[in-house]
Amino acid sequence: MSKSIQSRDDGRPDVNDLEGDNEWTQLAHKHWRTPVKSRKVKNEVIKNDIWDSLENEGFPYLWPGYNDSSTNYQVLLITLIASVKTRERLQVWDVFAADGERFSSLFRRILFMSLDSSLSVTIRTHILSFLISAFQSLDNGLVRRECAPLVSISVWQNLASEATRERKFEQHAPLKKAWRAAARKFDSADETTQAKLRFDRAWLYSLLLDFILRLRESSRGESEQSVSARYTSAKPPPDNLIYCERFLEFLTDLESQLPTRRYVNTLVKDLNLLALISLSPMFKEAENGLFRDLFVLLRHFVHFPIDDNTGIQLSQVQSYEEHSADLARLQRISLKHFKDKLIILALSNYAAIDSRAELEAHLHPLSDAELATLSGLLGFRTTYPLTSKVDVDRAVLMEILLSAHERRKTFREVMRDLSILPTEAALYEPTLLRNEHYNGSRSLAIPKLNLQYLSVGDFLWRSFVLYRCESFFEIRKEMEETVKRLQPQETPHPNKVRFDGFSRMAIAISKPAIIEVAPPKVGHNKPAFVRAEIGLDVSKLAESVRREWESLRQDDVVYLLAVDPTGDARAQTNGHMAHATSRDFGIRYLRVAEVEQVLDDDGRVIRNMPTGLTNGCVARPRVRRLLVTMDTAAYTLDTAQRKEGQPDVYESINLIVRRKGRENNFRKILDTIKTLASSDIPVPDWLQEVFLGYGDPTSATYTRLPNSINQLDFRDTFLDWTHLVTSLPDKSVEPHANDESAMEPPFILHGIASAESEPPRPSKKRRRDDVEVSQPAPKSIKVSTYQPPNNGPYPTDAPKTNQIRFTPIQVQAIMSGTQPGLTVIVGPPGTGKTDVATQIINNIYHDFPSQRTLLVAHSNQALNQLFQKITNLDIDERHLLRLGHGEEDLETDVSYSKHGRVESFLDNRGHYLAEVDRLAANFQAPGAHANSCETAGYFNSVYVVPAWSKFWDCADAGIDVSAIASSFPFHEYFANAPQPLFPPESSIEQIRDIARGCQRHIERIFTELEDIRPFEILRTSRDKANYLLIKEARIIAMTSTHAAIRRQEIADLGFHYDNVIMEEAAQITEIENFIPWALQNPQNGQIPLQRIVLCGDHLQNSPIVQNLAFQQFANLEQSLFLRFVRLGVPTIGLDHQGRARPSIAELYKWRYPKLENLPNVLTEIEYLRANAGFRYEYQFIDVADYKGTGESQPTPHYFQNLGEAEYAVALYQYMRLLGYPASKISILTTYAGQRALIRDVLGHRCAKNRLFGLPRLVTTVDKYQGEQNDYIILSLVRTTRPGYLRDIRRLTVALSRARLGLYVLGRRSVFETCYELREAFFKLFERSNQLLLTMGEMFPADRMLGDEVEGTEMTGVVHLGQYVFEMAKAKIESLKVQGGQLPVVEETPEMMKMDEKDENGVGGEQVEEEEEEEEDADGVE
């Protein structure tokens, strides 16, 4: 860019670049500042003033604009804009949607320009980036229409011979029909259309030939070289290399999706492209590691074991049979045509000739001409167009034959060989380091997650590779940061290092002692296990830190490092870097171990923390010992190297590092993915095509499934008949013909499936005599009702019922979720998607008593919110189970963990056996009937059942009411029930109903005891807990992480479930979505899932991925929820919010055009009352630089803004002085650095001051998704550019957390210039930039929201701070005069965190600092 604009390291402009006196501002003012009705494109300005300047400076800026008379320069600008916006995850294609014809014209021009050899390589690289974006956006109909003809069967016109096509037709007969249809379409077209079709089928072929030509170009421009010289020539030009890397990315994208792969793969193989690449000088250059890695990725997809026509993945056996068939064909042709020279090859077994070396030795006797003949007989191309300048010599022919017939590793074998435990070599592998600082300038050799996958195995392979890369990246980042904190220094003693710093996550150690090496298992070459002991000096650690080390659990991963004094890491850039090594960061070696036990000073296992006192104080432990198992693969390699004379790795280890539990689960998750890939876990048949991204996206919904249910009991879903009718506005709701009772809930709906079934799709063709079909009449649903059974005479016997009046859309979601199939529920903020999910669970529980449901969420918080609502339903608590450590945070009276449920069963046992004693007293039956569940069962069969039989015989005789009541045999037992048990005025039917209720109450006692009986028999706690999981629990809740960690363990128990309901589905990565479907082993080759319900909001935050390369390039942040939405899977969008004031909801309503308000936010007083002390209920406050400084960045991505931090705290203090409860206020910010700064300011100003205390929470926007509070203070931090808030999803979360008041602190000039954010900030900027306060009000205000009131303007943070100071001073004086007392400090979660920090003592500040930097993913841009 111009020398006048050099503000940021990444080359993007900040707000200062858009103002002032630079050349771009002057150009805009000169040509486009004055508004006009019709604006003409000034081509000479675009060419001379913009294009030439951009071209000279490498295109750091883009200039949009296009019309019918646009020049190529303008088209290229559009191409650049689209590519960059796609990379930044911004909307691109919607801009073109309004004019499809003009977009088609633009796209054709781009295609022609992609083949234009007169354009520079750099320009063609940018065009190729645009095409990559297009082929990754096939979910967009506009783009798909342009891309599909380029990869259709017509490209087979370019195959080497008719025989090649005929072989394909023989393999799959429908291909011939498609080929003939394409030929007829071409023959029947006019000349213009034929020219277009001719270009379409030749475009990719021409692009491939151009790529082949570029492979052989050298930097000297020598085009006529000998073959041997050409394939060993000098380094190609960098621009040409970048283009070829990008082209390999483009080809890989085509090969990795079935619709684009189906015909392209045949063309790629026909051109022998892989062989030509592997022989090219570009491939052999030592510096071109990225190019070689991209080639490996392309080769993986070209040879992926799948039928390109049917999309069916080949099994291991089928893959080998296909390989064997190729070898058999080679042997037959060799025997027939080259018997003298290839007789040994022809007669050898397959295993003897499928290795490259063996095959090359067999083919060596053939001359060049014979090799060419053999290749031709096998169907390989041996001639190329002259323009490609390919000389098919011996090297090329040999490579073609070898690559086609050698045995390649399958993707499963590749996954098996990849280590899931890192070493320093794995962490600093060049392939991973290239991803460190991604900026979009180069391709990356990592797979992408896009719309479609070739197979479930392909999906698992991609997920495994990306998750492994992301995990290793995070580990490397944390290890480097830990070593940096510890400040290793040299000492006078050789091989000794002194640590001058501190980290709670690390302890200096002596070398680990290897105490046992088990011999290898049969068939393995590494030890079965290697056990070591590590001593930890914990004497100087704060108690809280020591307890964290003592709480290490079995299988937790720890890291053993050999650390040297820290060196300086060299600079790294995307694609071309001075490759850093571990030693640059002071890490000589890194090994991984898994914890077996934590032992105390005396070698005893630590289970519980000591509580005893010694001389009045707790004895301070000095040493803890860890028993660990080492990484056996690394140990085997280390041992071999030590025998060769290299240093002993374990002698130099001097540091142990741990990580937080959630981040340290990578090993088990990777192991789970690897196991799933090797076991061929299927997706349910009804979901297979939708999951892979093919076929009809509606095919998995219940309206398209044959097993949809036509009659369902919706119990308490509907509150009354009016609610039922209004909930089904497009249906005719009528009482069932056989039901003459009053229409009161519960309701049974008949004819649901037939009413919702979709009509067959009409033919695209229409005949002349076809008549217009009138709109069908509303489909009818019949409704019947019934009298709910009497469950007993006690108040506790009454069922819990739903009290929520669901909206029609919510009812639609509930009906769909109760049916089999896939349901996708989009829940904007405050629309009650958790309530909908809860009611779905309630309906499934009661309507399908034999089915079991799995609840999954990304976070413990969201899962607990859902689970707590379930506990309030009419669901027996013995059928509920919450797995994972988050159960401790449940706000319930009972424990729902496995062991808590077991204890509850045993506690209930005592209660019910006491009831049996009361029943025995009722019958005056002697004996120990309540001795056990077994004896209680005998008592039931001997005494209770006969008594009921006798009573019902009497009741059926129907003498009179008094006779029936007097014959009731349980009067004494029910003496403690509300009396009279049988009211005198009751009818016979009422008496019978009361008796049935009493019988159900007693039957429930013995049913419960029968369920408890196994817990009497089972002896160990583990057996009891496992029995509970696989037999008793019907609703099981766990986080997606817990599912991934425990998948194998749970599946091996025989766990079975029928339904999966996922909350926060849009925040879960695809693999985390998939694993909960596979927690059970297949039955008859199928996963027996009946229904899957996904609840989420793809317009809010996506899964958090720290590394920008994995986030933007590989699309690892894509959730399955978002992919389903992109694919067009039917979604149910909830459309009424009941969280925020309507005026606050307007701030984000533009993201949800159909969003309306529920009656509660329009009528309840808290929504109508104004915020005391504030002129407005929401306001954007423009915060100027404080003490001459705006944003600051102490470390990379760690942004802070002292002015906004001071303003946020002053605003909080003001609210507290007016009487706002601290628990009703939360402070949010967009960066972890700012969160730390605000906490620091609060700690100094408020924590110890009883006037203020601390707010409920101070956290980042990302961490607060799914939560809400009445009043939100939001700090945006940035003063130069929007930063990561440019992702509108995060801003949507930020603006939708407040119920009653939202006060946004930021820099107006930054956010009003951002195109993507204009809709969000438009309403905020309608009001004053300065905070307006109202005087003389206290919380809660008497003023209504619409009342006019004068506001007092705060001109800045200093003004507000002074005002708050005066208020606090006045309040204290008032309290002194009146003899009052300061209020008790309200305990909030933030206060508890502050107390914990104080308890940490000396290490407290470091503890807080590490927490902030560990969570700094919130601030990654």
Side-chain angles (χ1 to χ4, degrees):
M1 204 56 221
S2 169
K3 297 294 187 294
S4 61
I5 301 180
Q6 298 180 357
S7 56
R8 309 307 298 175
D9 294 337
D10 59 6
R12 292 185 292 179
D14 61 28
V15 68
N16 297 320
D17 300 330
L18 305 178
E19 301 173 348
D21 201 29
N22 66 67
E23 65 178 83
W24 299 100
T25 304
Q26 294 175 11
L27 187 66
H29 281 232
K30 178 180 178 181
H31 296 287
W32 295 287
R33 186 176 186 181
T34 306
V36 294
K37 290 184 179 179
S38 178
R39 191 179 300 281
K40 293 183 179 179
V41 174
K42 300 178 180 180
N43 290 323
E44 70 283 357
V45 175
I46 290 177
K47 171 63 174 71
N48 300 328
D49 294 341
I50 300 177
W51 177 264
D52 289 346
S53 179
L54 292 175
E55 185 176 38
N56 291 336
E57 298 175 17
F59 303 101
Y61 286 87
L62 304 175
W63 196 275
Y66 177 77
N67 59 31
D68 293 338
S69 60
S70 295
T71 63
N72 278 354
Y73 303 113
Q74 198 166 349
V75 173
L76 289 172
L77 284 172
I78 295 174
T79 303
L80 292 169
I81 291 170
S83 299
V84 172
K85 278 185 171 285
T86 301
R87 190 175 72 230
E88 297 280 343
R89 327 300 290 173
L90 302 174
Q91 288 293 336
V92 178
W93 309 113
D94 291 348
V95 176
F96 308 109
D99 197 337
E101 290 185 9
R102 198 168 59 144
F103 175 74
S104 181
S105 170
L106 169 68
F107 199 87
R108 304 299 293 183
R109 289 182 63 177
I110 293 172
L111 293 177
F112 278 108
M113 292 168 69
S114 68
L115 300 175
D116 189 350
S117 58
S118 66
L119 295 176
S120 70
V121 178
T122 302
I123 297 304
R124 293 183 67 184
T125 302
H126 287 299
I127 292 173
L128 195 55
S129 296
F130 172 86
L131 294 172
I132 289 172
S133 301
F135 275 94
Q136 286 180 341
S137 305
L138 297 180
D139 54 313
N140 185 285
L142 194 70
V143 178
R144 185 170 60 248
R145 187 167 61 247
E146 302 301 327
C147 293
L150 304 174
V151 291
S152 68
I153 197 171
S154 297
V155 301
W156 283 7
Q157 288 279 359
N158 306 294
L159 296 181
S161 65
E162 289 284 345
T164 304
R165 273 197 301 272
E166 289 301 324
R167 279 197 299 273
K168 288 292 179 183
F169 295 157
E170 290 172 5
Q171 293 171 2
H172 193 67
L175 290 174
K176 195 162 190 176
K177 182 178 179 181
W179 176 258
R180 288 172 177 169
R184 285 195 301 270
K185 180 179 179 181
F186 180 85
D187 294 338
S188 62
D190 56 33
E191 290 185 8
T192 303
T193 306
Q194 282 188 345
K196 179 181 180 299
L197 295 174
R198 198 177 291 113
F199 175 82
D200 288 345
R201 69 192 186 192
W203 175 78
L204 181 59
Y205 180 67
S206 302
L207 213 56
L208 287 165
L209 292 180
D210 176 74
F211 170 69
I212 292 171
L213 179 63
R214 291 185 178 281
L215 288 174
R216 60 181 296 279
E217 288 182 356
S218 71
S219 57
R220 300 172 186 171
E222 297 171 349
S223 57
E224 298 297 332
Q225 305 178 57
S226 65
V227 171
S228 59
R230 180 167 68 252
Y231 289 111
T232 57
S233 62
K235 179 181 177 181
D239 288 346
N240 190 50
L241 173 63
I242 293 172
Y243 175 86
C244 290
E245 290 170 351
R246 193 65 78 179
F247 190 81
L248 286 182
E249 179 193 344
F250 174 63
L251 277 183
T252 303
D253 286 351
L254 294 183
E255 291 278 2
S256 62
Q257 298 186 99
L258 192 60
T260 54
R261 169 194 179 91
R262 182 169 281 120
Y263 306 116
V264 169
N265 195 38
T266 300
L267 180 60
V268 168
K269 288 182 176 179
D270 179 73
L271 285 169
N272 305 311
L273 189 64
L274 296 179
L276 296 178
I277 294 173
S278 64
L279 292 173
S280 68
M282 189 178 292
F283 183 85
K284 297 182 178 180
E285 282 290 339
E287 296 85 355
N288 297 345
L290 175 58
F291 182 81
R292 286 189 292 275
D293 291 340
L294 285 165
F295 166 78
V296 171
L297 187 61
L298 173 63
R299 183 178 61 189
H300 163 84
F301 281 110
V302 168
H303 295 304
F304 192 84
I306 189 174
D307 187 317
D308 292 339
N309 302 305
T310 63
I312 298 175
Q313 180 178 310
L314 305 181
S315 65
Q316 294 272 54
V317 174
Q318 290 171 324
S319 297
Y320 184 73
E321 288 176 350
E322 194 175 78
H323 171 65
S324 300
D326 291 338
L327 291 175
R329 187 161 176 262
L330 172 64
Q331 288 181 319
R332 289 195 300 270
I333 292 176
S334 299
L335 187 62
K336 181 176 181 180
H337 298 280
F338 306 98
K339 185 175 181 179
D340 294 339
K341 294 185 178 181
L342 299 181
I343 185 64
I344 298 177
L345 182 149
L347 298 179
S348 297
N349 61 59
Y350 297 149
I353 60 174
D354 67 356
S355 71
R356 174 174 281 261
E358 291 286 345
L359 193 56
E360 187 173 11
H362 285 299
L363 295 175
H364 182 71
L366 295 182
S367 66
D368 293 359
E370 288 171 330
L371 275 176
T373 303
L374 176 60
S375 299
L377 291 170
L378 288 169
F380 295 113
R381 180 191 287 266
T382 56
T383 59
Y384 290 82
L386 295 177
T387 54
S388 66
K389 300 181 181 179
V390 176
D391 293 331
V392 184
D393 61 357
R394 183 180 184 85
V396 173
L397 292 171
M398 186 66 78
E399 180 61 29
I400 291 172
L401 291 171
L402 294 178
S403 60
H405 295 95
E406 68 178 334
R407 189 177 186 278
R408 292 174 293 273
K409 283 186 176 181
T410 65
F411 72 92
R412 294 184 183 89
E413 292 170 330
V414 172
M415 289 176 65
R416 183 193 62 201
D417 295 341
L418 280 174
S419 172
I420 59 177
L421 296 177
T423 63
E424 78 285 350
L427 292 182
Y428 289 88
E429 190 179 322
T431 304
L432 295 180
L433 291 178
R434 290 194 199 99
N435 309 325
E436 186 77 15
H437 294 285
Y438 174 73
N439 59 15
S441 63
R442 302 282 289 273
S443 297
L444 294 175
I446 51 178
K448 299 177 183 177
L449 303 182
N450 202 19
L451 277 177
Q452 300 164 329
Y453 302 107
L454 299 178
S455 66
V456 175
D458 173 42
F459 162 72
L460 291 170
W461 177 82
R462 297 193 211 190
S463 299
F464 177 84
V465 171
L466 291 175
Y467 195 90
R468 178 178 179 270
C469 289
E470 170 74 359
S471 299
F472 282 16
F473 165 78
E474 292 176 358
I475 292 170
R476 184 175 74 247
K477 179 181 175 184
E478 291 188 28
M479 295 303 111
E480 291 171 0
E481 185 59 37
T482 299
V483 171
K484 178 182 175 183
R485 286 179 179 278
L486 290 171
Q487 303 172 25
Q489 305 294 331
E490 293 182 354
T491 66
H493 304 285
N495 301 322
K496 292 289 185 181
V497 178
R498 183 182 75 252
F499 297 103
D500 289 348
F502 171 80
S503 171
R504 71 187 294 185
M505 310 303 286
I507 298 178
I509 60 171
S510 299
K511 65 177 183 179
I514 306 297
I515 58 177
E516 184 178 4
V517 179
K521 295 180 180 179
V522 176
H524 293 76
N525 59 0
K526 58 184 181 182
F529 63 85
V530 177
R531 183 172 288 120
E533 184 176 277
I534 303 169
L536 306 180
D537 182 0
V538 298
S539 60
K540 298 179 181 179
L541 297 180
E543 184 179 359
S544 61
V545 179
R546 175 177 57 80
R547 286 181 178 176
E548 289 176 5
W549 282 96
E550 291 175 339
S551 63
L552 286 171
R553 300 188 301 272
Q554 186 176 9
D555 296 332
D556 279 355
V557 176
V558 293
Y559 305 85
L560 307 179
L561 279 65
V563 176
D564 290 333
T566 310
D568 295 326
R570 289 168 284 191
Q572 304 172 27
T573 55
N574 172 237
H576 42 137
M577 62 196 300
H579 292 303
T581 66
S582 61
R583 295 188 180 235
D584 293 321
F585 298 93
I587 302 173
R588 197 193 325 170
Y589 303 117
L590 182 146
R591 294 295 179 265
V592 171
E594 295 181 25
V595 176
E596 281 193 348
Q597 291 179 331
V598 184
L599 309 177
D600 64 10
D601 307 49
D602 300 320
R604 295 172 299 189
V605 178
I606 295 179
R607 292 187 175 88
N608 300 309
M609 299 302 150
T611 56
L613 300 180
T614 302
N615 296 326
C617 63
V618 178
R620 188 177 186 85
R622 299 185 59 82
V623 177
R624 292 290 183 253
R625 287 188 284 166
L626 288 184
L627 283 183
V628 299
T629 53
M630 306 296 295
D631 178 0
T632 55
Y635 181 83
T636 303
L637 183 61
D638 294 336
T639 304
Q641 291 176 344
R642 186 174 66 247
K643 291 178 180 177
E644 295 173 359
Q646 297 188 26
D648 187 341
V649 171
Y650 302 94
E651 289 289 332
S652 57
I653 287 176
N654 53 13
L655 187 70
I656 183 171
V657 181
R658 62 185 173 87
R659 299 173 70 210
K660 285 188 173 181
R662 187 177 183 89
E663 291 119 4
N664 210 28
N665 294 322
F666 74 96
R667 186 196 68 79
K668 292 183 179 180
I669 296 175
L670 286 173
D671 200 41
T672 294
I673 300 173
K674 187 182 286 190
T675 302
L676 289 174
S678 62
S679 59
D680 286 326
I681 290 290
V683 172
D685 277 347
W686 53 269
L687 189 63
Q688 175 89 13
E689 288 192 354
V690 174
F691 175 77
L692 295 178
Y694 309 125
D696 183 1
T698 68
S699 61
T701 56
Y702 80 94
T703 58
R704 304 293 298 276
L705 294 178
N707 63 333
S708 58
I709 302 169
N710 213 33
Q711 175 180 317
L712 276 173
D713 182 357
F714 282 91
R715 298 178 57 81
D716 57 354
T717 302
F718 305 102
L719 303 187
D720 49 50
W721 177 258
T722 303
H723 183 205
L724 170 62
V725 173
T726 56
S727 297
L728 303 172
D730 56 340
K731 305 290 188 301
S732 172
V733 181
E734 303 171 0
H736 195 277
N738 298 327
D739 198 325
E740 298 179 358
S741 58
M743 286 291 105
E744 295 292 336
F747 296 123
I748 299 175
L749 272 57
H750 306 260
I752 307 170
S754 56
E756 296 290 348
S757 61
E758 298 180 4
R761 297 185 176 182
S763 171
K764 294 181 181 179
K765 297 182 180 179
R766 182 178 172 185
R767 302 182 182 277
R768 292 181 180 179
D769 54 350
D770 283 351
V771 296
E772 291 288 340
V773 179
S774 59
Q775 288 290 335
K779 295 182 178 178
S780 176
I781 287 182
K782 303 294 184 181
V783 182
S784 62
T785 186
Y786 61 93
Q787 180 65 36
N790 186 329
N791 290 322
Y794 297 97
T796 55
D797 290 328
K800 303 172 186 175
T801 57
N802 163 58
Q803 302 299 319
I804 299 173
R805 185 171 288 272
F806 293 111
T807 67
I809 291 295
Q810 287 177 322
V811 168
Q812 182 184 343
I814 293 168
M815 293 176 70
S816 177
T818 309
Q819 290 275 4
L822 173 66
T823 299
V824 180
I825 302 172
V826 179
T831 52
K833 57 180 177 291
T834 303
D835 292 324
V836 169
T838 303
Q839 191 62 31
I840 291 173
I841 294 164
N842 190 35
N843 289 349
I844 293 173
Y845 175 84
H846 290 285
D847 288 349
F848 308 98
S850 63
Q851 294 188 10
R852 313 177 78 205
T853 302
L854 184 67
L855 308 184
V856 181
H858 174 64
S859 67
N860 280 307
Q861 173 196 333
L863 188 63
N864 286 344
Q865 287 178 354
L866 177 61
F867 198 83
Q868 282 170 201
K869 290 194 174 186
I870 292 171
T871 61
N872 296 325
L873 299 176
D874 187 30
I875 293 177
D876 195 328
E877 68 175 32
R878 64 197 172 100
H879 293 147
L880 298 174
L881 180 62
R882 168 70 163 90
L883 300 180
H885 293 282
E887 189 275 338
E888 305 153 0
D889 300 326
L890 272 174
E891 297 176 2
T892 55
D893 296 331
V894 295
S895 172
Y896 288 95
S897 66
K898 279 200 293 188
H899 296 292
R901 287 289 82 213
V902 170
E903 291 176 4
S904 176
F905 267 88
L906 297 178
D907 289 343
N908 290 340
R909 172 182 178 273
H911 167 72
Y912 288 123
L913 289 178
E915 293 297 298
V916 173
D917 268 337
R918 289 183 57 233
L919 284 168
N922 179 84
F923 290 107
Q924 299 180 354
H929 302 292
N931 188 51
S932 67
C933 297
E934 183 178 11
T935 57
Y938 293 144
F939 171 77
N940 180 45
S941 59
V942 172
Y943 288 93
V944 178
V945 173
W948 280 116
S949 298
K950 183 177 179 181
F951 168 75
W952 287 116
D953 288 342
C954 177
D956 291 340
I959 306 172
D960 56 38
V961 170
S962 60
I964 296 175
S966 61
S967 66
F968 185 70
F970 297 95
H971 279 289
E972 182 179 343
Y973 175 77
F974 287 107
N976 60 351
Q979 298 296 324
L981 186 63
F982 299 103
E985 67 277 7
S986 300
S987 64
I988 290 181
E989 190 54 43
Q990 288 174 330
I991 293 291
R992 292 170 62 91
D993 184 60
I994 293 171
R996 289 192 195 99
C998 294
Q999 184 175 10
R1000 291 189 185 97
H1001 178 89
I1002 293 175
E1003 286 176 346
R1004 189 160 57 250
I1005 293 172
F1006 292 101
T1007 301
E1008 295 266 2
L1009 287 171
E1010 187 63 28
D1011 288 342
I1012 295 170
R1013 185 177 177 185
F1015 296 95
E1016 285 186 336
I1017 300 171
L1018 296 170
R1019 291 305 174 194
T1020 68
S1021 298
R1022 185 181 184 86
D1023 289 342
K1024 293 175 181 178
N1026 291 339
Y1027 179 85
L1028 175 72
L1029 173 64
I1030 62 177
K1031 293 294 185 181
E1032 279 297 324
R1034 287 180 50 197
I1035 298 175
I1036 304 98
M1038 66 182 75
T1039 63
S1040 56
T1041 303
H1042 185 87
I1045 294 171
R1046 301 294 181 188
R1047 186 264 158 195
Q1048 192 62 49
E1049 177 185 333
I1050 293 173
D1052 289 345
L1053 289 173
F1055 180 57
H1056 163 73
Y1057 55 99
D1058 306 273
N1059 317 296
V1060 175
I1061 296 178
M1062 305 191 80
E1063 179 69 291
E1064 290 184 326
Q1067 289 182 263
I1068 306 176
T1069 60
E1070 285 209 63
I1071 188 61
E1072 290 176 310
N1073 271 282
F1074 178 83
I1075 290 175
W1077 303 355
L1079 292 183
Q1080 56 187 327
N1081 293 319
Q1083 299 177 5
N1084 301 320
Q1086 293 294 323
I1087 292 291
L1089 278 182
Q1090 298 289 318
R1091 53 181 65 76
I1092 295 174
V1093 181
L1094 304 180
C1095 303
D1097 183 6
H1098 58 290
L1099 299 180
Q1100 296 188 61
N1101 281 349
S1102 60
I1104 296 176
V1105 177
Q1106 291 192 19
N1107 189 299
L1108 203 63
F1110 305 135
Q1111 178 193 113
Q1112 292 189 355
F1113 182 87
N1115 208 18
L1116 184 57
E1117 69 169 3
Q1118 173 176 268
S1119 64
L1120 182 65
F1121 188 96
L1122 174 59
R1123 187 163 70 88
F1124 278 171
V1125 172
R1126 290 182 63 197
L1127 285 168
V1129 172
T1131 62
I1132 301 172
L1134 307 184
D1135 59 357
H1136 282 74
Q1137 72 88 23
R1139 170 189 293 171
R1141 296 184 193 268
S1143 57
I1144 294 178
E1146 287 292 327
L1147 298 176
Y1148 52 88
K1149 183 180 176 181
W1150 65 276
R1151 291 282 279 165
Y1152 310 96
K1154 296 182 180 179
L1155 188 63
E1156 301 295 337
N1157 298 302
L1158 287 171
N1160 68 301
V1161 299
L1162 301 174
T1163 58
E1164 291 180 6
I1165 187 61
E1166 64 175 344
Y1167 293 101
L1168 301 178
R1169 182 184 285 133
N1171 292 344
F1174 291 94
R1175 172 68 180 83
Y1176 299 115
E1177 74 279 18
Y1178 69 84
Q1179 193 175 0
F1180 182 93
I1181 302 155
D1182 194 8
V1183 181
D1185 287 353
Y1186 182 65
K1187 297 182 179 179
T1189 303
E1191 69 176 53
S1192 60
Q1193 191 177 179
T1195 59
H1197 308 304
Y1198 199 71
F1199 289 97
Q1200 295 182 330
N1201 187 320
L1202 181 57
E1204 290 187 18
E1206 292 282 2
Y1207 208 120
V1209 173
L1211 193 56
Y1212 166 73
Q1213 290 177 305
Y1214 172 72
M1215 297 176 73
R1216 291 289 290 131
L1217 290 171
L1218 295 184
Y1220 286 84
S1223 61
K1224 299 293 185 182
I1225 307 170
S1226 294
I1227 302 178
L1228 305 185
T1229 179
T1230 51
Y1231 288 90
Q1234 183 73 350
R1235 177 194 59 190
L1237 184 58
I1238 293 173
R1239 283 180 175 176
D1240 190 49
V1241 176
L1242 282 168
H1244 285 86
R1245 303 272 173 82
C1246 303
K1248 304 300 182 182
N1249 192 324
R1250 292 171 63 182
L1251 276 178
F1252 305 117
L1254 292 177
R1256 185 180 189 279
L1257 210 58
V1258 179
T1259 188
T1260 58
V1261 170
D1262 282 359
K1263 299 292 181 184
Y1264 206 65
Q1265 179 163 343
E1267 294 196 51
Q1268 64 184 35
N1269 209 346
D1270 287 359
Y1271 306 97
I1272 297 292
I1273 301 171
L1274 173 64
S1275 171
L1276 302 182
V1277 184
R1278 303 303 300 273
T1279 59
T1280 58
R1281 72 156 69 86
Y1284 89 146
L1285 262 189
R1286 197 180 183 199
D1287 184 343
I1288 196 64
R1289 294 173 299 183
R1290 283 192 170 97
L1291 186 61
T1292 302
V1293 175
L1295 298 179
S1296 58
R1297 300 305 96 196
R1299 296 179 63 245
L1300 305 175
L1302 174 65
Y1303 301 96
V1304 183
L1305 312 178
R1307 185 66 57 87
R1308 174 167 180 162
S1309 56
V1310 169
F1311 296 100
E1312 70 180 350
T1313 56
C1314 184
Y1315 174 81
E1316 288 78 20
L1317 305 181
R1318 69 192 189 285
E1319 292 284 354
F1321 283 96
F1322 176 76
K1323 296 191 79 62
L1324 284 170
F1325 292 155
E1326 288 179 340
R1327 294 178 173 176
S1328 171
N1329 290 340
Q1330 301 300 325
L1331 179 64
L1332 292 178
L1333 304 180
T1334 58
M1335 304 295 108
E1337 291 184 335
M1338 294 295 289
F1339 178 88
D1342 296 325
R1343 173 170 54 94
M1344 294 294 106
L1345 196 59
D1347 295 346
E1348 289 296 328
V1349 64
E1350 192 70 26
T1352 301
E1353 185 176 282
M1354 296 290 108
T1355 57
V1357 62
V1358 176
H1359 186 186
L1360 178 61
Q1362 183 63 34
Y1363 183 71
V1364 169
F1365 174 76
E1366 296 295 337
M1367 282 183 66
K1369 184 177 177 182
K1371 184 156 189 173
I1372 293 173
E1373 292 296 330
S1374 174
L1375 287 172
K1376 288 181 178 178
V1377 171
Q1378 298 175 11
Q1381 294 183 351
L1382 288 172
V1384 177
V1385 176
E1386 185 177 357
E1387 185 172 294
T1388 64
E1390 196 62 37
M1391 181 69 75
M1392 296 170 65
K1393 290 182 181 179
M1394 193 69 72
D1395 291 341
E1396 181 182 350
K1397 176 179 174 180
D1398 292 340
E1399 289 174 5
N1400 289 330
V1402 177
E1405 292 185 7
Q1406 289 94 336
V1407 170
E1408 180 67 21
E1409 188 177 353
E1410 278 207 2
E1411 284 181 352
E1412 288 147 9
E1413 295 204 8
E1414 283 168 358
E1415 296 181 0
D1416 199 41
D1418 300 325
V1420 172
E1421 292 183 47

